[in-house]
Amino acid sequence: MIAPLAYPAAALAEIGGCFAIWSVLRLGASSWWLAVGMGSLALFAWLLTLVEAEAAGRAFAAYGGVYIAASLGWMWAVEGVAPDGRDLLGALLCLVGAGVILARP
């Protein structure tokens, strides 16, 4: 099963790509970061195609929980804002939901 590897890599690629664009539009970074962001978002989309699922929507839905947890990790590691208890509880609930979706027979 490749999902445990593809989902975290996809989350990093998506968050990094979105943050590159955020940096240009909100933080005044060089417009060259748009190219980095677009490349990272293309990598994200490709990584999700590696997940074995009979429907794209199911692969995307399960990915949502991983994305939420990874976003909180990014917030802490890159932006210096520690998640609080509610953030962590919400991420845990989402990861449980993703696990339920992935655990189909």
Side-chain angles (χ1 to χ4, degrees):
M1 181 173 217
I2 195 161
L5 299 174
Y7 280 152
L12 184 59
E14 182 180 15
I15 295 165
C18 289
F19 189 74
I21 295 167
W22 174 282
S23 295
V24 171
L25 298 177
R26 301 280 304 266
L27 304 176
S30 167
S31 61
W32 287 104
W33 280 103
L34 292 173
V36 173
M38 294 302 181
S40 189
L41 290 171
L43 175 63
F44 149 72
W46 174 76
L47 286 165
L48 282 186
T49 68
L50 301 178
V51 175
E52 295 176 25
E54 65 278 359
R58 185 162 290 124
F60 300 163
Y63 165 71
V66 176
Y67 176 80
I68 289 168
S71 294
L72 293 174
W74 179 278
M75 179 179 75
W76 194 1
V78 175
E79 298 179 78
V81 178
D84 63 23
R86 294 184 80 137
D87 292 329
L88 297 175
L89 177 59
L92 177 63
L93 290 171
C94 292
L95 287 171
V96 168
V100 169
I101 291 168
L102 286 174
R104 297 175 51 82

